[in-house]
Amino acid sequence: MIIEIEDRFCKAAKVFAETLQKVQRAAQRGDAVHEVEEATFGDLMETGRQIVAAYVQRQEEDLPRPEVIQYEGRTLHRLPERRTRPYVSAFGPVPFSRDVYATRETQRQEVVPLDAKLGMPESDTSYLLQKWSGTQFVKASYQESRLTLEEILGFAPSVNCLEDMAAAASEHAEVYLAQQGAVDPATEAEILVVTSDCKGVPMRKIDAPRTRQGDDGLRGKRLKKGEKNGQKRMACVGGVYSVDPFRRTSEDVVNEILRKEKQQRPTPQNKRLRAVLTREVEGQEVNAKDVVFDWLAAELQERDPHEHRTVVAVMDGETKLRDLQELKIGRAIGILDIWHVTEYLWKLAYCFHREGSEEAEAFVETYLRKLLEGKVNRVIGGIRQMATKRGDLSKSKQEKLQQYLNYFAERRDYMKYDEYLAAGYPIGSGVVEGACRHLVKDRMEQAGMRWRIAGAQAILSLRSIYVNEDWDAFHADRIRAEQRKLYPYKKRLGAILNCAA
């Protein structure tokens, strides 16, 4: 056995020596450097595979091989035939055989000493290759991810294998997101901000939302050009971060929104995002919005357990989201997203003026400035008075105008912009708008994609972790959890084997 193991390491050393000789010959010929890199990389991959194989055998060398052991009050027998373990390392396939202990031949394998000593994963794919694969499929389709890995490594897991990886990893992702600890208080800014919005995910017909008005996941709006009814299910996106106060005047905001004058604003700190679909869990339907707002409330509790800090909730005007904010994060100061408000002002302007006209732009600038000065009631009254004086608006425009003004009237408590600006609070939901795009849309709406609920949620959960820059921490945590589940006997392995011997 020892000679065989040494031969393994010698073989790896020989492959490496041959690689150096090839590079020396390439240098004599004057080969292009990219050709040398490509050839050398392939040789180093084979060297790495040989090293991993030798390492596996070396780890088995010191393991006792008793025929019978006692474990958890049961007598386990070493099965007569060693079992082969398929294993795909980051360097390629490295299958190996090892001893297995069970009560009898046909029963579950209860103790596998070498697997425990090596820290083998539950699947046949190494943790490192799982991590690299995940880095690809959280950003691109499974097929594109497979092609990328194959181009780099010379081999790649199949599409089905990648999908299985995502499903398995997402199970721990849900636990990780729910139990993630608080951020370092020393890195926090003064104001805590929560925000939420929804973004559609294109679904396969079997999982597309029903068309009954009011179902969670329905758009509830007139379809845009090219959209088909019932194809998208809404993902609820939530975000929490901290930011320092940024005091501005109404004129500053008008210039930023209408004249695109960018300002040097404070950078959000410790931003965390999450996206959830309404789905069935253990036979019970779990509403996405409830999950997101429970998570946001838990994040605030972790970050500000004594409720000493100011919390603001910047969102658009969706009633369900605001009701949940009032219910679950009642201490937050509700703020209606100013960009959303500005869009409504443009709709109002087009009730009176031609689209793209200077008059429409002047209308928006005038009333945006008044809103930022806290004059919501005067804006509503002034526009109604303008409509009465005009007297020539069509019935359709009158109905739209009434709808838009009612929108402001019903949300005036969230439009105290003069107070918000004086206090330095954020008034735009750019963080969650950006999250809807780069967390959901950029991955879930690639060309031709249609999702099942489980597969979509798997990617959304993993992508949330990735964009939160917690990818390495998540994988380390997942490995620890899986190792505890697979090998509860690992710390006692030496005693179990040696006592039996």
Side-chain angles (χ1 to χ4, degrees), residues 12-29:
K14 182 179 179 181
V15 172
F16 183 68
E18 290 174 350
T19 300
L20 292 178
Q21 292 174 3
K22 289 179 183 179
V23 173
Q24 290 172 346
R25 289 194 293 269
Q28 293 172 356
R29 294 192 301 267

Side-chain angles (χ1 to χ4, degrees), residues 385-403:
Q385 188 177 37
M386 181 187 301
T388 302
K389 288 182 178 180
R390 283 281 297 263
D392 60 351
L393 295 182
S394 66
K395 184 177 179 180
S396 173
K397 286 188 176 180
Q398 290 179 33
E399 291 175 350
K400 288 180 180 179
L401 184 142
Q402 190 62 41
Q403 175 189 343

Side-chain angles (χ1 to χ4, degrees), residues 5 41 65 101 160 180 192 228 263-264 274 357 379 394 405 413 463 467:
I5 293 169
F41 187 85
R65 303 183 64 224
Y101 290 85
N160 288 340
Q180 197 171 12
L192 285 171
K228 295 182 180 179
Q263 301 178 31
Q264 195 67 32
R274 190 171 181 183
S357 65
V379 168
S394 66
L405 291 179
D413 288 344
R463 191 165 170 81
V467 300

Side-chain angles (χ1 to χ4, degrees), residues 243-459:
V243 69
D244 286 324
F246 182 45
R247 295 174 177 83
R248 292 168 290 167
T249 66
S250 59
E251 202 64 33
D252 291 333
V253 180
V254 169
N255 288 336
E256 181 179 8
I257 292 176
L258 299 183
R259 298 180 180 86
K260 313 299 181 185
E261 294 181 3
K262 292 187 177 181
Q263 301 178 31
Q264 195 67 32
R265 61 180 67 244
T267 302
Q269 301 295 319
N270 300 315
K271 179 171 63 178
R272 285 179 177 172
L273 303 170
R274 190 171 181 183
V276 181
L277 285 167
T278 294
R279 64 198 191 281
E280 193 172 282
V281 178
E282 297 180 354
Q284 298 291 323
E285 184 174 86
V286 178
N287 185 278
K289 293 171 183 175
D290 287 333
V291 173
V292 167
F293 276 87
D294 285 339
W295 171 72
L296 289 173
E299 278 285 318
L300 290 181
Q301 179 62 28
E302 287 280 355
R303 296 186 186 213
D304 185 29
H306 303 295
E307 299 188 1
H308 291 160
R309 303 171 64 191
T310 299
V311 179
V312 300
V314 187
M315 296 184 289
D316 66 20
E318 185 180 339
T319 303
K320 178 64 174 176
L321 294 180
R322 191 59 73 178
D323 288 346
L324 281 169
Q325 177 255 301
E326 295 282 2
L327 176 65
K328 297 178 183 289
I329 317 173
R331 71 187 182 102
I333 299 169
I335 300 176
L336 182 60
D337 169 40
I338 193 62
W339 295 94
H340 196 72
V341 168
T342 305
E343 286 303 310
Y344 270 80
L345 285 177
W346 281 109
K347 293 176 182 179
L348 284 164
Y350 296 150
C351 290
F352 298 101
H353 307 292
R354 178 176 52 83
E355 291 190 28
S357 65
E358 292 183 359
E359 292 82 1
E361 186 171 340
F363 177 100
V364 172
E365 180 171 348
T366 297
Y367 287 104
L368 176 60
R369 185 176 287 106
K370 290 181 182 295
L371 288 177
L372 291 168
E373 293 169 352
K375 302 172 181 176
V376 181
N377 290 333
R378 291 180 61 180
V379 168
I380 295 171
I383 294 175
R384 281 180 175 155
Q385 188 177 37
M386 181 187 301
T388 302
K389 288 182 178 180
R390 283 281 297 263
D392 60 351
L393 295 182
S394 66
K395 184 177 179 180
S396 173
K397 286 188 176 180
Q398 290 179 33
E399 291 175 350
K400 288 180 180 179
L401 184 142
Q402 190 62 41
Q403 175 189 343
Y404 303 149
L405 291 179
N406 286 344
Y407 180 89
F408 286 166
E410 293 166 1
R411 294 161 177 79
R412 70 184 82 201
D413 288 344
Y414 308 122
M415 299 174 68
K416 302 173 184 178
Y417 295 112
D418 55 332
E419 298 178 14
Y420 308 150
L421 292 177
Y425 300 156
I427 60 173
S429 59
V431 166
V432 76
E433 293 289 342
C436 285
R437 182 181 67 254
H438 70 257
L439 197 162
V440 182
K441 180 180 173 64
D442 288 353
R443 175 62 176 92
M444 311 306 288
E445 293 194 63
Q446 295 180 29
M449 287 189 175
R450 294 292 182 271
W451 296 87
R452 295 297 305 273
I453 292 177
Q457 186 58 63
I459 290 297

Side-chain angles (χ1 to χ4, degrees), residues 28-40:
Q28 293 172 356
R29 294 192 301 267
D31 292 352
V33 67
H34 69 275
E35 295 175 348
V36 175
E37 289 177 12
E38 185 173 3
T40 302

